[in-house]
Amino acid sequence: FGFGNGNYAIRKVAEQLLFVIGHDYEIFKYGGDSFVVLSKKTYRKEDLHKFDASLVESALLSPRHFDIVINSVKWSLTASLGSAIFNPQGQSFESIINVIEQAVKRAKKSAPFGLCHISEDGFKEFDRYLDIKSKLEQAIESDELSIVLQPQVTHDGTVSSFEALVRWYSKELGPVSPGEFIPIAEESYAICEIGDIVLRKTLSVISNFVKSGLKTSIAINISARQIVVPDFINSLLSRVNQYGIPPHMLMLELTETALVVDIELVKETMLELARFGFRFSIDDFGTGYSSLAYLKVLPISELKIDKYFVDDIGKDFDGKAAQIVDAIIEMAKALNVTCIAEGVESEEQLKYLIGKGCEKFQGYYFSRPEPEAHWAGINENTKLP
């Protein structure tokens, strides 16, 4: 709408904020489209319970305050709000802003109108976040990252393939969960460096499998940032040729979120790699935002049912999870691709999935992820558990 209209909208939001926050707070412009709201009151520690952050948040995030008229048309603006209570003697301005920005980043995950209040425990989490972020690059450089393999089996428990999963044992932090460091890595190019390490180590494993007479494919996760890197195709081909690995032995897993980063570019990349024999799996299916129309034209070999849905099979949740699982399995059949369920942890889940026509399974019911050495001597007839 142009700079003038944008500036007008920001001013209107500021006016509404001033009206909402009243006399107990001051408002400051911060960045292009952000504000900092500061309480005029200084609470004693024993009075902190009197400060109700949720009331401020709900008031500021009420949609009725963010209707803007531009060119005679009413538009609703979304906003995200992060809040925290600080000891002013124990925090610098920079540390306060860093914590608030982290809270806003979390709030945006609940958009539109997301909110996040960081409590005292949240400060410890933030310190942990900074610690992991600062040591992650060092971990990449000093080769602290490794991979483990989780088997994927057919209905009778025969091992048909594996998924390579990254692990980090830090010399300073000890074991760090992928759930902690992967989201942090995704904020920067570090996720591409991790992806390259996983690719290199996985190709080495496949090479060892081939030498032992095992022709089992291994799936690796490809991030949204990684697949849109300009030289991704050439780099992948170079690595595969270096190890002398047939491309079909490497399954490339993409999340639905990765698909929508730049769907046309991702589509071109996938089609080009498919011509060389690479196969693709859509990971965490049903939790992202991909267009069903694109599933029809993308060179997909596999749909993966997310653990989130598998967990609820057999539980009394109006059968919604089971209905979604059923729909994904039917969609895989319609697309003529393999359907694999991850997170299978019970016989009840396995029987249900088999009964519905799911073809492959992965989860603790069969095996936890284990290092390469654990799978020495495995062959095409190996069955689990």
Side-chain angles (χ1 to χ4, degrees):
F1 296 104
F3 178 82
N5 283 325
N7 196 46
Y8 167 77
I10 292 294
R11 287 178 176 273
K12 281 295 181 183
V13 170
E15 290 173 9
Q16 295 287 11
L17 287 174
L18 283 169
F19 175 77
V20 170
I21 64 179
H23 298 293
D24 290 338
Y25 301 88
E26 288 184 293
I27 182 171
F28 303 87
K29 183 72 161 39
Y30 178 74
D33 59 354
S34 304
F35 299 93
V36 171
V37 179
L38 177 69
S39 171
K40 291 181 180 178
K41 292 182 179 180
T42 300
Y43 289 81
R44 292 179 299 180
K45 195 166 186 178
E46 58 267 27
D47 294 331
L48 279 181
H49 69 277
K50 297 178 183 178
F51 177 84
D52 191 346
S54 63
L55 291 178
V56 179
E57 289 166 339
S58 61
L60 288 172
L61 297 176
S62 174
R64 69 179 180 274
H65 296 302
F66 291 92
D67 285 339
I68 304 292
V69 177
I70 296 176
N71 299 335
S72 302
V73 178
K74 184 182 287 187
W75 300 90
S76 293
L77 303 185
T78 62
S80 298
L81 187 144
S83 65
I85 300 172
F86 299 90
N87 176 357
Q89 295 178 329
Q91 302 287 340
S92 66
F93 171 76
E94 288 78 11
S95 65
I96 289 173
I97 288 298
N98 282 338
V99 171
I100 290 295
E101 286 181 336
Q102 183 68 10
V104 171
K105 189 180 295 183
R106 291 184 188 177
K108 285 182 177 179
K109 294 180 180 178
S110 303
F113 302 105
L115 56 90
C116 174
H117 178 73
I118 290 187
S119 61
E120 190 170 338
D121 288 342
F123 282 92
K124 294 176 183 175
E125 287 180 26
F126 183 67
D127 289 340
R128 171 79 172 174
Y129 163 84
L130 291 178
D131 217 9
I132 291 173
K133 191 171 185 178
S134 65
K135 292 178 174 60
L136 188 55
E137 192 61 41
Q138 174 188 327
I140 293 170
E141 292 174 1
S142 57
D143 198 27
E144 291 182 354
L145 300 176
S146 62
I147 64 167
V148 289
L149 305 175
Q150 187 169 39
Q152 300 171 334
V153 306
T154 57
H155 67 281
D156 64 352
T158 302
V159 176
S160 62
S161 53
F162 289 91
E163 179 179 5
L165 302 166
V166 66
R167 293 293 184 263
W168 176 19
Y169 189 89
S170 169
K171 295 173 184 175
E172 298 178 54
L173 302 175
V176 184
S177 164
E180 282 190 293
F181 72 83
I182 291 296
I184 294 173
E186 286 176 337
E187 296 174 5
S188 67
Y189 187 75
I191 192 64
C192 298
E193 295 177 300
I194 292 174
D196 195 54
I197 291 171
V198 171
L199 172 63
R200 175 168 48 83
K201 291 180 181 288
T202 300
L203 290 174
S204 176
V205 172
I206 295 176
S207 178
N208 292 337
F209 277 179
V210 171
K211 289 173 185 175
S212 66
L214 184 65
K215 297 181 179 179
T216 302
S217 65
I218 300 181
I220 62 171
N221 291 283
I222 303 296
S223 72
R225 279 181 179 267
Q226 195 177 359
I227 197 168
V228 296
V229 170
D231 67 341
F232 177 73
I233 293 176
N234 291 334
S235 176
L236 181 59
L237 288 171
S238 174
R239 280 287 171 83
V240 168
N241 291 332
Q242 177 187 344
Y243 283 88
I245 304 298
H248 71 270
M249 293 189 70
L250 190 68
M251 177 74 80
L252 305 178
E253 285 193 3
L254 295 166
T255 63
E256 290 186 271
T257 306
L259 288 180
V260 298
V261 169
D262 188 335
I263 186 65
E264 287 300 329
L265 177 56
V266 171
K267 176 185 171 184
E268 288 177 20
T269 302
M270 291 176 70
L271 289 172
E272 180 68 18
L273 288 172
R275 282 193 278 271
F276 288 98
F278 290 98
R279 297 179 301 137
F280 294 90
S281 173
I282 304 301
D283 195 12
D284 302 341
F285 188 76
T287 62
Y289 314 95
S290 69
S291 166
L292 295 180
Y294 275 104
L295 292 181
K296 189 173 68 174
V297 297
L298 293 174
I300 298 167
S301 300
E302 183 180 87
L303 286 185
K304 236 182 170 185
I305 305 173
D306 188 69
K307 183 180 185 297
Y308 175 80
F309 302 118
V310 175
D311 281 345
D312 288 340
I313 291 176
K315 296 179 182 177
D316 187 20
F317 293 110
D318 300 323
K320 289 182 179 178
Q323 290 172 15
I324 293 172
V325 168
D326 295 352
I328 295 173
I329 293 172
E330 289 303 315
M331 188 176 295
K333 291 177 183 176
L335 294 168
N336 196 29
V337 300
T338 301
C339 185
I340 178 170
E342 63 180 356
V344 178
E345 297 183 355
S346 71
E347 187 175 358
E348 181 183 18
Q349 293 170 343
L350 178 62
K351 285 182 176 178
Y352 181 88
L353 291 162
I354 291 175
K356 291 298 178 177
C358 187
E359 297 156 283
K360 291 174 66 177
F361 315 91
Q362 176 181 346
Y364 286 3
Y365 179 74
F366 301 99
S367 173
R368 290 176 176 271
E370 300 285 358
E372 178 188 0
H374 177 85
W375 303 107
I378 193 172
N379 59 56
E380 272 103 1
N381 298 316
T382 300
K383 292 187 178 183
L384 299 172

